[in-house]
């Protein structure tokens, strides 16, 4: 006898709230599947577009050592994108359709990658702050109720902490350097601090997906909880190397045992999401060009495989 | 559309000699040789393995979650398959 859809849904909710995992062929509510496809594909796109701001510095890294490290880091980001696309495809979507949605501008990716990287210190700030925020977001996702996503996150997190350390190491070196180098590091922090805090998404009171995702154990902590952790973790790291946070309202709140900090410029946040950030158009144009320029390679590989199979 | 896309392959890695291959994820590649190359780049950047298997995803037959009960439940009522079912004298209990 087939269970009614209400019964299925009820069983699903109980199953998930008991901290049990969902695997690809299990029954799941359509809205759960859609939420995961949206979130995992956005996450994958962010890894892929995230290679662009840093990729710009591979040829200009200040030493062979830094260049080798940055190359390995950017290669990891490509790998992370691929783990995530692979997890997303277990939900019955085609890779090619996901990529098309990115290229057409229909799908979103993390807004942070729409900011430019004019100096070498930006590579330090990205590793330290952007990867730092990403880790904060991703560690709880290792316990996500959807098995393939959780497993992909375990791999990603294992690799990510090298990214954050290499970024902080760049900032440390600059802060031990000349006045101009210290100024460069401070300038990068000034530009990346607020966008990094925006990475956690809208404030809890405005976050339309949060409650359901928490109930489904996709999300474990709210946007504001994670943002607070990021501030508390990063402030002492900045102080230690002599950097000053660009927030006049930032101060330690003894009573709450955490930092108070200023209000995010939400207008800027929504404006960049809407496509009006400094590099939105450039990022999409670069991805589209790479995709178009690679079309003949994809076709040739397939033609060669067909020919070999016929022999 | 899917005719123009590289097929999907499932990737299995033996992490070291003495252990069996274990599923790690999937990737797209035009043929088996390219699948091995891509698996190396995507899944073994940090010495995760010493051997790779790639299998066309379309060649895998999986059991259905609907059959879970039919396939796996009967084992539950055969508790005598587990050694702790048998109570032995203390003197030989490490048997």
């Amino acid at each position: 006898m087939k269970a009614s859809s209400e019964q299925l849904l009820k069983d699903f909710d109980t199953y998930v709230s008991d901290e049990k995992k969902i695997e690809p062929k299990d029954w799941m509510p359509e809205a759960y599947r859609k939420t995961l496809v949206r979130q995992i594909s956005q996450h994958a796109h962010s890894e892929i577009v995230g290679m662009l701001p840093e990729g710009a510095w591979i040829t200009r890294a200040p030493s062979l050592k830094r260049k080798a490290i940055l190359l390995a880091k950017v290669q990891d980001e490509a790998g992370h994108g691929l783990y995530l696309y692979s997890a997303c495809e277990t939900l019955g979507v085609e890779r090619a359709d996901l990529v098309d949605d990115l290229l057409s501008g229909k799908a979103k990716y993390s807004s942070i990658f729409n900011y430019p990287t004019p100096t070498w210190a930006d590579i330090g700030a990205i590793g330290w702050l952007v990867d730092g925020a990403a880790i904060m977001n991703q560690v709880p996702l290792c316990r996500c109720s959807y098995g393939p996503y959780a497993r992909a996150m375990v791999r990603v997190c294992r690799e990510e902490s090298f990214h954050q350390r290499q970024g902080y190491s760049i900032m440390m070196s600059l802060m031990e350097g000349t006045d101009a180098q210290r100024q460069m590091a401070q300038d990068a922090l000034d530009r990346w601090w607020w966008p990094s805090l925006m990475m956690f998404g809208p404030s809890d009171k405005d976050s339309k997906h949060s409650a359901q995702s928490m109930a489904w154990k996709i999300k474990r902590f709210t946007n504001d909880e994670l943002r607070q952790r990021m501030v508390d973790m990063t402030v002492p790291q900045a102080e230690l190397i002599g950097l000053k946070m660009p927030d006049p309202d930032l101060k330690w709140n003894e009573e709450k045992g955490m930092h108070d900090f200023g209000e995010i410029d939400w207008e800027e946040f929504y404006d960049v999401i809407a496509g009006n950030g400094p590099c939105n158009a450039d990022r999409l144009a670069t991805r589209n060009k790479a995709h178009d320029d690679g079309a003949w390679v994809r076709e040739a590989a397939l033609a060669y495989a067909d020919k070999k199979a016929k022999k | 559309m899917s005719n123009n896309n590289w097929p999907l392959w499932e990737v299995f890695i033996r992490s070291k000699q003495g252990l069996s291959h274990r599923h790690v994820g999937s990737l797209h590649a035009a043929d088996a040789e390219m699948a091995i190359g891509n698996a190396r780049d995507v899944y073994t950047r940090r010495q995760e393995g010493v051997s790779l298997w790639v299998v066309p995803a379309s060649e895998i037959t999986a059991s259905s979650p609907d059959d879970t009960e039919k396939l796996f439940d009967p084992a539950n009522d055969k508790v005598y398959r587990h050694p702790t079912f048998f109570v032995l004298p203390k003197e030989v209990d490490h048997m």
Side-chain angles (χ1 to χ4, degrees):
Chain A
M1 200 182 77
K2 273 260 179 267
S4 72
S5 53
E6 293 98 87
Q7 189 57 47
L8 280 170
L9 189 60
K10 221 177 132 222
D11 292 347
F12 179 88
D13 286 344
T14 315
Y15 185 85
V16 166
S17 68
D18 286 349
E19 296 291 339
K20 290 181 187 158
K21 300 290 177 192
I22 303 296
E23 294 295 341
K25 295 179 89 186
D26 294 338
W27 185 88
M28 61 186 86
E30 185 52 23
Y32 176 84
R33 197 186 75 86
K34 272 199 174 141
T35 298
L36 282 169
V37 169
R38 182 180 52 81
Q39 182 171 335
I40 302 173
S41 64
Q42 278 182 14
H43 198 159
H45 299 329
S46 302
E47 302 283 356
I48 298 300
V49 178
M51 290 191 280
L52 301 177
E54 292 178 298
W57 279 91
I58 291 174
T59 54
R60 294 180 283 160
S63 68
L64 191 56
K65 185 179 107 184
R66 291 289 187 197
K67 182 176 180 152
I69 293 170
L70 184 58
L71 199 56
K73 196 240 180 209
V74 172
Q75 193 193 14
D76 274 351
E77 305 299 357
H80 296 177
L82 295 174
Y83 305 155
L84 286 159
Y85 282 129
S86 147
C88 199
E89 284 177 283
T90 63
L91 292 157
V93 288
E94 289 278 334
R95 172 87 54 104
D97 294 336
L98 298 175
V99 172
D100 284 349
D101 285 349
L102 169 65
L103 297 175
S104 71
K106 187 180 156 204
K108 298 265 183 266
Y109 54 86
S110 180
S111 275
I112 194 82
F113 302 117
N114 291 317
Y115 290 88
T117 45
T119 76
W120 171 249
D122 291 318
I123 302 309
I126 289 181
W128 175 36
L129 302 172
V130 176
D131 289 85
I135 292 172
M136 208 61 97
N137 262 326
Q138 288 166 341
V139 167
L141 286 171
C142 296
R143 292 189 291 128
C144 164
S145 60
Y146 188 59
Y149 192 25
R151 291 192 287 273
M153 278 302 107
V154 170
R155 294 186 70 90
V156 168
C157 287
R158 206 181 292 148
E159 299 178 357
E160 199 85 66
S161 89
F162 137 60
H163 298 179
Q164 193 187 14
R165 284 175 180 224
Q166 66 87 35
Y168 192 65
S169 146
I170 291 172
M171 296 305 254
M172 273 168 61
S173 297
L174 288 170
M175 291 308 286
E176 287 161 6
T178 63
D179 280 352
Q181 286 168 327
R182 279 196 292 275
Q183 183 47 46
M184 191 194 275
Q186 181 63 52
D187 166 66
L189 172 62
D190 291 349
R191 283 181 290 109
W192 289 94
W193 175 243
W194 290 106
S196 301
L197 294 185
M198 293 176 196
M199 283 176 70
F200 296 94
S203 172
D204 291 349
K205 58 182 192 306
D206 302 317
S207 179
K208 57 181 179 183
H209 301 298
S210 273
Q212 182 62 76
S213 287
M214 298 275 283
W216 277 334
K217 311 270 180 194
I218 295 173
K219 236 175 133 98
R220 297 285 174 164
F221 301 99
T222 71
N223 295 352
D224 288 337
E225 282 169 349
L226 292 169
R227 192 167 9 245
Q228 180 70 49
R229 280 191 201 180
M230 173 76 184
V231 172
D232 292 335
M233 182 193 76
T234 316
V235 168
Q237 295 169 352
E239 279 169 4
L240 187 71
I241 55 175
L243 286 164
K244 195 176 173 311
M245 287 298 186
D247 179 359
D249 298 323
L250 182 79
K251 59 171 188 300
W252 177 251
N253 184 325
E254 190 66 54
E255 204 175 305
K256 287 198 285 182
M258 53 179 79
H259 290 88
D260 292 329
F261 58 99
E263 184 70 14
I264 285 173
D265 181 352
W266 293 111
E267 209 171 303
E268 175 183 329
F269 172 75
Y270 288 110
D271 203 37
V272 180
I273 288 185
N276 305 318
C279 302
N280 294 57
D282 185 53
R283 300 292 184 236
L284 269 193
T286 306
R287 276 315 311 152
N288 272 287
K289 183 174 185 304
H291 189 74
D292 295 344
D293 289 352
W296 73 270
V297 180
R298 293 191 296 277
E299 285 161 22
L302 210 52
Y304 177 69
D306 277 349
K307 194 173 129 189
K308 253 195 338 188
K310 279 184 191 124
K311 267 187 193 165
Chain B
M1 173 116 178
S2 54
N3 288 342
N4 288 325
N5 295 330
W6 293 350
L8 188 67
W9 301 74
E10 298 297 333
V11 180
F12 300 79
I13 299 178
R14 183 201 299 287
S15 58
K16 62 177 190 184
Q17 296 294 102
L19 297 178
S20 37
H21 287 75
R22 188 166 160 227
H23 183 247
V24 291
S26 63
L27 51 77
H28 289 266
D31 58 26
E33 191 188 341
M34 186 194 279
I36 290 280
N38 288 357
R40 184 247 167 240
D41 288 344
V42 178
Y43 291 105
T44 64
R45 288 192 303 283
R46 285 175 176 77
Q47 298 152 346
E48 284 90 342
V50 294
S51 163
L52 287 165
W53 285 352
V54 291
V55 183
S58 59
E59 294 296 316
I60 292 179
T61 306
S63 64
S64 157
D66 296 339
D67 294 335
T68 304
E69 224 169 282
K70 192 170 78 187
L71 291 171
F72 307 113
D73 263 10
N76 264 343
D77 57 16
K78 296 188 179 66
V79 283
Y80 44 79
R81 280 192 165 142
H82 299 283
T84 47
F85 177 77
F86 303 92
V87 182
L88 298 179
K90 215 175 172 178
E91 291 77 1
V92 289
D93 208 20
H94 55 275
M95 185 187 275

